[in-house]
Amino acid sequence: AGADYNNRGYANVLYTTSGTDCTSETDVLLDSKVAKLYAYHPYDENNADMTAIPVESSTLTDYMYATSGNTELSSTNASIELPMNHILSGVKVSIKKTDANTDYSVSKIKVKSQGIAKGGNFNLTDASLSGFTGQNEAITWDDAIALTTEYQSTGIEYFVPTGTEEAVKFIVTVDGNDYALTSDQTLAMGKVYEFKLNFDNAGLNAE
Protein backbone atom coordinates (compact mmCIF):
# COMPACT_ATOMS: atom_id res chain seq x y z
CA ALA A 1 0.00 0.00 0.00
CA GLY A 2 1.07 3.60 0.49
CA ALA A 3 1.50 6.48 -1.92
CA ASP A 4 3.54 6.75 -5.09
CA TYR A 5 7.35 6.77 -4.72
CA ASN A 6 9.54 8.68 -7.15
CA ASN A 7 6.75 8.51 -9.76
CA ARG A 8 7.20 4.75 -10.05
CA GLY A 9 3.56 3.78 -9.59
CA TYR A 10 3.92 1.98 -6.27
CA ALA A 11 0.59 3.12 -4.83
CA ASN A 12 -1.65 0.31 -3.49
CA VAL A 13 0.72 -2.57 -4.21
CA LEU A 14 -0.47 -6.02 -3.13
CA TYR A 15 1.75 -7.92 -0.70
CA THR A 16 1.05 -11.40 0.64
CA THR A 17 2.46 -12.93 3.78
CA SER A 18 4.11 -16.28 4.40
CA GLY A 19 5.12 -16.65 8.02
CA THR A 20 6.92 -13.41 8.85
CA ASP A 21 7.85 -12.63 5.23
CA CYS A 22 5.93 -10.41 2.81
CA THR A 23 6.27 -10.76 -0.95
CA SER A 24 4.86 -8.98 -3.97
CA GLU A 25 4.68 -9.66 -7.69
CA THR A 26 5.60 -6.00 -8.16
CA ASP A 27 9.28 -5.15 -7.74
CA VAL A 28 9.49 -2.12 -5.45
CA LEU A 29 12.82 -0.44 -6.15
CA LEU A 30 14.21 1.93 -3.55
CA ASP A 31 16.97 4.48 -4.03
CA SER A 32 18.57 7.06 -1.74
CA LYS A 33 15.29 8.95 -1.35
CA VAL A 34 13.65 8.15 1.99
CA ALA A 35 10.33 6.33 1.67
CA LYS A 36 7.47 5.93 4.09
CA LEU A 37 5.48 2.70 4.00
CA TYR A 38 1.80 2.23 4.78
CA ALA A 39 -0.03 -1.08 4.88
CA TYR A 40 -3.66 -2.08 5.30
CA HIS A 41 -5.73 -5.27 5.38
CA PRO A 42 -7.76 -6.61 3.67
CA TYR A 43 -6.35 -5.52 0.33
CA ASP A 44 -8.68 -4.05 -2.30
CA GLU A 45 -7.32 -3.18 -5.72
CA ASN A 46 -10.12 -0.60 -6.06
CA ASN A 47 -8.83 1.53 -3.19
CA ALA A 48 -7.46 4.50 -5.09
CA ASP A 49 -7.52 6.97 -2.19
CA MET A 50 -5.44 5.96 0.81
CA THR A 51 -7.04 8.77 2.84
CA ALA A 52 -10.54 7.28 2.50
CA ILE A 53 -10.49 3.49 2.76
CA PRO A 54 -14.06 2.27 3.42
CA VAL A 55 -14.59 0.28 6.62
CA GLU A 56 -17.79 -1.14 8.11
CA SER A 57 -18.76 -3.44 10.94
CA SER A 58 -21.60 -5.58 9.56
CA THR A 59 -19.40 -8.21 7.85
CA LEU A 60 -17.07 -8.62 10.87
CA THR A 61 -14.07 -7.88 8.64
CA ASP A 62 -10.88 -7.50 10.68
CA TYR A 63 -9.60 -4.22 9.23
CA MET A 64 -5.96 -3.54 10.12
CA TYR A 65 -3.24 -1.02 9.31
CA ALA A 66 0.45 -0.29 9.88
CA THR A 67 2.99 2.41 9.03
CA SER A 68 6.76 2.56 8.95
CA GLY A 69 6.61 5.39 11.50
CA ASN A 70 9.99 7.02 12.08
CA THR A 71 11.90 4.28 10.25
CA GLU A 72 13.57 5.72 7.15
CA LEU A 73 13.32 3.28 4.27
CA SER A 74 15.75 3.56 1.38
CA SER A 75 18.15 1.49 -0.71
CA THR A 76 20.46 1.26 2.31
CA ASN A 77 17.69 0.29 4.73
CA ALA A 78 15.11 -1.75 2.82
CA SER A 79 13.77 -4.06 5.54
CA ILE A 80 11.17 -3.27 8.18
CA GLU A 81 8.79 -4.96 10.61
CA LEU A 82 5.18 -3.79 10.40
CA PRO A 83 3.05 -4.71 13.43
CA MET A 84 -0.58 -4.44 12.36
CA ASN A 85 -3.15 -2.49 14.37
CA HIS A 86 -6.90 -3.12 14.50
CA ILE A 87 -9.24 -0.40 13.26
CA LEU A 88 -12.60 -1.62 14.57
CA SER A 89 -13.40 -1.80 18.27
CA GLY A 90 -15.61 -4.17 20.20
CA VAL A 91 -18.09 -3.92 23.05
CA LYS A 92 -19.65 -6.37 25.45
CA VAL A 93 -21.88 -5.91 28.47
CA SER A 94 -21.59 -7.83 31.74
CA ILE A 95 -24.52 -7.69 34.13
CA LYS A 96 -25.44 -9.05 37.55
CA LYS A 97 -28.03 -8.46 40.25
CA THR A 98 -27.12 -7.08 43.65
CA ASP A 99 -30.26 -8.41 45.38
CA ALA A 100 -29.67 -12.11 45.93
CA ASN A 101 -33.23 -12.78 47.08
CA THR A 102 -35.08 -11.48 44.01
CA ASP A 103 -35.37 -13.13 40.59
CA TYR A 104 -34.78 -10.97 37.52
CA SER A 105 -34.83 -11.97 33.86
CA VAL A 106 -33.12 -9.92 31.13
CA SER A 107 -34.53 -10.28 27.61
CA LYS A 108 -32.67 -7.53 25.73
CA ILE A 109 -29.63 -5.28 26.10
CA LYS A 110 -28.96 -2.27 23.87
CA VAL A 111 -25.98 0.06 23.61
CA LYS A 112 -26.08 3.22 21.50
CA SER A 113 -23.96 6.34 21.14
CA GLN A 114 -22.83 8.99 18.68
CA GLY A 115 -19.39 7.49 19.37
CA ILE A 116 -20.48 4.17 17.86
CA ALA A 117 -20.88 3.98 14.07
CA LYS A 118 -21.59 1.25 11.55
CA GLY A 119 -19.24 2.53 8.85
CA GLY A 120 -16.74 5.21 7.89
CA ASN A 121 -13.57 6.03 6.00
CA PHE A 122 -10.08 5.30 7.29
CA ASN A 123 -7.20 7.65 6.49
CA LEU A 124 -4.12 5.46 6.24
CA THR A 125 -1.71 8.41 6.25
CA ASP A 126 -2.67 9.65 9.73
CA ALA A 127 -4.62 6.68 11.17
CA SER A 128 -7.86 8.61 11.56
CA LEU A 129 -11.52 7.85 10.87
CA SER A 130 -14.15 10.14 9.37
CA GLY A 131 -17.26 10.10 7.18
CA PHE A 132 -19.21 8.05 9.69
CA THR A 133 -22.47 6.30 8.88
CA GLY A 134 -24.95 4.62 11.19
CA GLN A 135 -24.01 6.63 14.27
CA ASN A 136 -26.22 6.10 17.32
CA GLU A 137 -27.79 2.94 15.87
CA ALA A 138 -28.24 0.47 18.70
CA ILE A 139 -26.09 -2.61 19.15
CA THR A 140 -28.55 -5.20 20.45
CA TRP A 141 -28.30 -8.52 22.27
CA ASP A 142 -31.53 -10.55 22.51
CA ASP A 143 -30.23 -13.43 24.62
CA ALA A 144 -32.25 -14.23 27.73
CA ILE A 145 -30.25 -13.93 30.96
CA ALA A 146 -31.48 -15.05 34.36
CA LEU A 147 -29.56 -12.67 36.60
CA THR A 148 -27.37 -13.99 39.38
CA THR A 149 -25.00 -12.27 41.78
CA GLU A 150 -22.13 -13.13 39.40
CA TYR A 151 -21.50 -11.19 36.20
CA GLN A 152 -22.76 -12.77 32.99
CA SER A 153 -21.53 -11.37 29.68
CA THR A 154 -22.92 -10.84 26.21
CA GLY A 155 -20.87 -11.73 23.18
CA ILE A 156 -18.60 -9.11 21.63
CA GLU A 157 -20.07 -6.91 18.91
CA TYR A 158 -17.80 -4.79 16.70
CA PHE A 159 -18.24 -1.18 15.60
CA VAL A 160 -16.47 1.78 13.99
CA PRO A 161 -15.36 4.14 16.80
CA THR A 162 -15.52 7.91 16.30
CA GLY A 163 -12.80 8.54 18.89
CA THR A 164 -14.67 11.47 20.46
CA GLU A 165 -16.16 11.67 23.94
CA GLU A 166 -19.86 10.91 23.68
CA ALA A 167 -22.69 9.75 25.91
CA VAL A 168 -23.09 5.96 25.77
CA LYS A 169 -26.63 4.84 26.60
CA PHE A 170 -27.42 1.38 27.94
CA ILE A 171 -31.02 0.12 27.75
CA VAL A 172 -31.73 -3.18 29.50
CA THR A 173 -35.10 -4.93 29.38
CA VAL A 174 -35.72 -6.68 32.71
CA ASP A 175 -38.99 -8.57 33.27
CA GLY A 176 -40.56 -6.66 30.38
CA ASN A 177 -39.55 -3.19 31.56
CA ASP A 178 -36.81 -0.98 30.09
CA TYR A 179 -34.16 0.52 32.34
CA ALA A 180 -31.63 3.07 31.04
CA LEU A 181 -28.24 4.30 32.13
CA THR A 182 -25.93 6.82 30.45
CA SER A 183 -22.16 7.18 30.77
CA ASP A 184 -19.75 9.51 28.93
CA GLN A 185 -17.02 7.54 27.17
CA THR A 186 -14.29 8.05 24.57
CA LEU A 187 -14.19 4.94 22.38
CA ALA A 188 -10.88 4.51 20.54
CA MET A 189 -9.75 2.26 17.71
CA GLY A 190 -8.56 -1.29 18.27
CA LYS A 191 -9.97 -1.87 21.75
CA VAL A 192 -12.58 -4.16 23.26
CA TYR A 193 -14.66 -2.44 25.91
CA GLU A 194 -16.45 -4.29 28.70
CA PHE A 195 -19.15 -2.37 30.52
CA LYS A 196 -20.24 -3.81 33.85
CA LEU A 197 -23.81 -3.12 34.97
CA ASN A 198 -25.53 -3.90 38.25
CA PHE A 199 -29.29 -4.27 38.67
CA ASP A 200 -31.64 -4.18 41.63
CA ASN A 201 -35.21 -2.98 42.26
CA ALA A 202 -33.98 0.62 42.02
CA GLY A 203 -32.76 0.08 38.46
CA LEU A 204 -29.40 0.05 36.70
CA ASN A 205 -26.07 1.33 37.90
CA ALA A 206 -22.50 0.91 36.66
CA GLU A 207 -19.66 -0.69 38.55
Side-chain angles (χ1 to χ4, degrees):
D4 204 356
Y5 174 78
N6 277 2
N7 296 316
R8 292 175 178 168
Y10 294 152
N12 203 26
V13 175
L14 172 63
Y15 273 78
T16 56
T17 60
S18 177
T20 58
D21 295 329
C22 295
T23 58
S24 175
E25 294 183 359
T26 301
D27 290 330
V28 177
L29 304 176
L30 298 177
D31 55 31
S32 59
K33 181 180 178 180
V34 172
K36 188 163 187 177
L37 180 65
Y38 302 92
Y40 72 95
H41 169 84
Y43 176 79
D44 186 341
E45 63 181 4
N46 296 313
N47 284 337
D49 185 356
M50 294 297 110
T51 68
I53 298 173
V55 297
E56 52 81 32
S57 59
S58 63
T59 59
L60 301 181
T61 301
D62 189 9
Y63 297 98
M64 294 187 288
Y65 74 98
T67 76
S68 55
N70 295 324
T71 301
E72 295 186 346
L73 290 170
S74 67
S75 56
T76 58
N77 183 32
S79 179
I80 188 174
E81 292 184 0
L82 285 175
M84 302 294 283
N85 303 282
H86 297 282
I87 297 174
L88 299 188
S89 290
V91 61
K92 69 176 183 179
V93 175
S94 298
I95 188 168
K96 72 176 183 179
K97 65 180 181 180
T98 55
D99 179 1
N101 298 316
T102 305
D103 294 333
Y104 301 108
S105 180
V106 173
S107 57
K108 183 174 294 186
I109 299 174
K110 294 182 178 180
V111 176
K112 59 190 305 186
S113 172
Q114 288 292 337
I116 294 175
K118 300 292 186 181
N121 293 317
F122 181 70
N123 185 334
L124 187 59
T125 65
D126 64 6
S128 65
L129 285 160
S130 63
F132 300 106
T133 59
Q135 283 178 269
N136 211 33
E137 292 184 14
I139 294 174
T140 303
W141 296 268
D142 290 317
D143 298 332
I145 302 174
L147 293 184
T148 69
T149 55
E150 301 293 330
Y151 281 113
Q152 299 177 76
S153 300
T154 66
I156 298 173
E157 293 290 334
Y158 291 91
F159 62 94
V160 178
T162 67
T164 57
E165 184 175 9
E166 304 286 352
V168 178
K169 187 174 185 179
F170 305 90
I171 305 169
V172 181
T173 305
V174 182
D175 296 330
N177 299 308
D178 289 342
Y179 298 85
L181 179 70
T182 300
S183 174
D184 289 342
Q185 303 284 337
T186 301
L187 304 177
M189 285 191 298
K191 298 182 180 295
V192 174
Y193 294 90
E194 178 185 16
F195 295 105
K196 291 186 174 181
L197 304 179
N198 302 323
F199 185 83
D200 58 25
N201 58 10
L204 281 176
N205 60 82
E207 184 181 65

